[in-house]
Amino acid sequence: MYDGGKILFGILIFLAFVTFPFYNDIGKANVKPEPKIDTPEIQKLPQKKCVEPKAFMKAEHMKLLNEWRDSAVRDGNRVYVASDGKRYIISLQNTCMRCHSNKKEFCDKCHNYAEVNPYCWDCHIAPKEAKIAPKEAKNEY
Amino acid sequence: MSIDRREFLKIAGASAIFALGGMAIVNDIVKDNLEASQFSPEPGALTARKWAMVIDMQKFKTEDDYKKVINVCNSIHNIPDFGNPKDEIKWIWTDTFEHTFPGQQQEFMPESLERMPFVMLCNHCDNPPCVRVCPTKATFKRKDGIVMQDMHRCIGCRFCMAACPYGSRSFNWRDPRPFIKKENPEYPTRTKGVVEKCTFCVERLAKGLMPACVEASNGAMIFGDLTDPNSEVRKALSSNYSIRRKPELGTGPNIYYIIGGADNA
């Protein structure tokens, strides 16, 4: 066999390249995002609950936001009565983000993982994260 | 095999019933699991059948009177100041009598009237041409008469700007954010490529508050339900002579102006 060594070496290099994506991901693979909920506003809650059950929020929050948007802007109804009867003022900036004031550690954690980039923040002002303690909660009454 | 008419109708009827029943079952299965959730207005919200405004120009005396009403609107709504009229975003602004009421100026009218600035904002017309031309229904008329602009649907085509005879709409030619002096964190900004205008402060009405300019105007701007004979606007209109901007166009503007005499102006 002529040049067997060279061929083997070539094959090895080839295999190294082809499998690169696999071993490069070892350890990193499937690190699920863990959105943090340790904000001052959520700490104050007697029960750490979102406007709707967690499973629903996880899967449907974008649809809920669309409904909120249409209800407030188009129908002029700015109170959301949740399935547990609690009432919330409909506002992305003043309700969702008052609790989830850690956008970078919460919304963005998931969105970066899922590669979604909601354009809402072109207009809606994201919480200033350097600051502490947002204003007194007004989102529930 | 052939079927007669009677046979055909029987089969058609039976399958229709079957299909409807099937649909009901499918609907039951995929039903939203948030049945109890619903939307409602805020309890203390201000409501009307038709909102209107009366601007009593006699009460605008100093430059400060104008600044107060304009600045409060600009700051709560995150309106940018580009420092040039070409890019200007205006919800409430001023201009001369001639530009406000073209065709209504008289040859020998008081000089003071000719010179004084008039306050202008969206007229929230009965018959809004901007709404008629909007291809995405981004701008629409609410049941209470307010002509609302849904920023989420605006594609920036600017048909509404061409249609509005009052110049009440502004286009964001540039990213407004760097030009907002102090952001109000409770209200969104806009972005490059959308049209915006006065909304009669729907977000304040929903909370039971008067529009910001009215609140800051010290009684010079009056806001209320035009269909209610006891409202402040109706009282002001029945005790003063008022004019509107370009009523001959048939848009039905809902901002009324009390001009008053020269000594007041």
Side-chain angles (χ1 to χ4, degrees):
Chain A
M1 203 156 94
Y2 305 107
D3 291 334
K6 283 184 195 159
I7 293 171
L8 267 180
F9 185 63
I11 289 174
L12 272 179
I13 290 181
F14 171 74
L15 284 177
F17 270 113
V18 166
T19 52
F20 176 76
F22 298 99
Y23 61 76
N24 188 45
D25 261 4
I26 291 171
K28 275 195 235 161
N30 281 324
V31 272
K32 277 206 203 128
E34 275 169 25
K36 291 208 174 64
I37 54 161
D38 56 345
T39 66
E41 207 58 51
I42 290 178
Q43 300 292 343
K44 275 193 255 162
L45 294 175
Q47 280 176 302
K48 312 239 171 310
K49 275 181 23 187
C50 197
V51 292
E52 295 291 352
K54 182 173 179 180
F56 176 85
M57 289 312 290
K58 193 177 220 142
E60 308 278 343
H61 63 277
M62 33 340 239
K63 284 193 207 150
L64 182 71
L65 281 171
N66 281 357
E67 282 179 24
W68 274 32
R69 178 190 66 198
D70 288 348
S71 171
V73 176
R74 300 199 78 86
D75 306 333
N77 290 333
R78 288 180 185 243
V79 170
Y80 177 71
V81 187
S83 49
D84 64 357
K86 273 219 186 90
R87 302 164 144 270
Y88 296 89
I89 301 279
I90 291 181
S91 176
L92 175 56
Q93 282 165 234
N94 305 328
T95 302
C96 302
M97 304 318 285
R98 187 156 284 159
C99 279
H100 297 295
S101 53
N102 54 345
K103 174 172 169 287
K104 292 200 183 91
E105 292 295 315
F106 187 76
C107 316
D108 294 357
K109 267 271 152 65
C110 281
H111 293 165
N112 290 343
Y113 177 78
E115 287 233 298
V116 281
N117 196 2
Y119 68 103
C120 319
W121 314 110
D122 290 354
C123 295
H124 290 274
I125 299 174
K128 302 269 178 292
E129 304 205 16
K131 281 191 209 134
I132 12 121
K135 276 191 212 156
E136 279 304 293
K138 264 196 278 173
N139 46 42
E140 212 185 272
Y141 65 98
Chain B
M1 187 194 108
S2 73
I3 50 174
D4 57 16
R5 185 169 163 277
R6 194 181 152 76
E7 208 50 35
F8 172 76
L9 288 177
K10 267 193 201 159
I11 295 171
S15 42
I17 288 169
F18 181 75
L20 286 175
M23 245 156 68
I25 291 168
V26 172
N27 276 349
D28 253 8
I29 293 168
V30 298
K31 198 163 41 185
D32 212 45
N33 47 350
L34 285 180
E35 257 180 288
S37 68
Q38 49 171 310
F39 299 93
S40 65
E42 287 181 50
L46 299 183
T47 55
R49 278 202 282 168
K50 182 165 147 185
W51 288 117
M53 187 183 279
V54 178
I55 304 182
D56 188 347
M57 290 310 305
Q58 302 172 100
K59 295 200 174 129
F60 283 89
K61 296 215 163 76
T62 65
E63 210 176 306
D64 215 44
D65 294 339
Y66 293 94
K67 267 200 197 136
K68 264 191 316 209
V69 296
I70 295 174
N71 289 351
V72 69
C73 177
N74 288 353
S75 65
I76 70 166
H77 295 124
N78 291 326
I79 295 171
D81 179 8
F82 292 109
N84 79 62
K86 201 176 107 267
D87 296 330
E88 187 184 17
I89 304 287
K90 48 196 185 13
W91 287 31
I92 174 167
W93 73 103
T94 59
D95 208 334
T96 58
F97 186 93
E98 194 185 346
H99 288 158
T100 313
F101 305 103
Q104 296 190 51
Q105 71 270 36
Q106 312 299 335
E107 200 173 350
F108 302 112
M109 64 193 267
E111 209 182 315
S112 52
L113 267 189
E114 251 174 297
R115 274 210 226 103
M116 83 184 278
F118 284 78
V119 179
M120 280 183 269
L121 55 149
C122 171
N123 274 294
H124 297 276
C125 304
D126 289 344
N127 201 358
C130 54
V131 169
R132 205 167 53 217
V133 300
C134 179
T136 61
K137 292 204 167 87
T139 189
F140 59 98
K141 192 146 174 77
R142 302 195 339 162
K143 280 201 287 292
D144 57 4
I146 293 178
V147 175
M148 183 61 182
Q149 170 85 355
D150 184 345
M151 295 299 166
H152 308 96
R153 289 207 193 176
C154 180
I155 55 170
C157 72
R158 293 180 281 135
F159 286 3
C160 56
M161 294 177 70
C164 176
Y166 303 106
S168 299
R169 294 174 159 272
S170 310
F171 183 66
N172 284 277
W173 291 100
R174 307 161 69 180
D175 177 12
R177 284 222 168 146
F179 299 92
I180 298 167
K181 265 176 238 129
K182 194 172 169 301
E183 268 178 0
N184 170 10
E186 298 193 353
Y187 196 82
T189 67
R190 267 70 62 206
T191 180
K192 185 175 162 181
V194 293
V195 172
E196 60 183 83
K197 69 168 195 77
C198 157
T199 64
F200 264 171
C201 286
V202 284
E203 81 284 3
R204 288 173 58 89
L205 296 177
K207 287 195 210 128
L209 298 167
M210 280 279 166
C213 55
V214 172
E215 197 178 273
S217 74
N218 230 335
M221 297 165 91
I222 305 161
F223 187 72
D225 188 348
L226 201 64
T227 62
D228 171 8
N230 297 317
S231 66
E232 292 300 312
V233 280
R234 283 287 291 274
K235 281 184 208 151
L237 290 178
S238 57
S239 53
N240 294 278
Y241 177 69
S242 60
I243 58 176
R244 291 182 292 168
R245 295 183 65 199
K246 308 183 187 174
E248 69 278 10
L249 298 178
T251 54
N254 281 307
I255 312 282
Y256 293 78
Y257 292 83
I258 297 171
I259 304 297
D263 44 316
N264 296 318

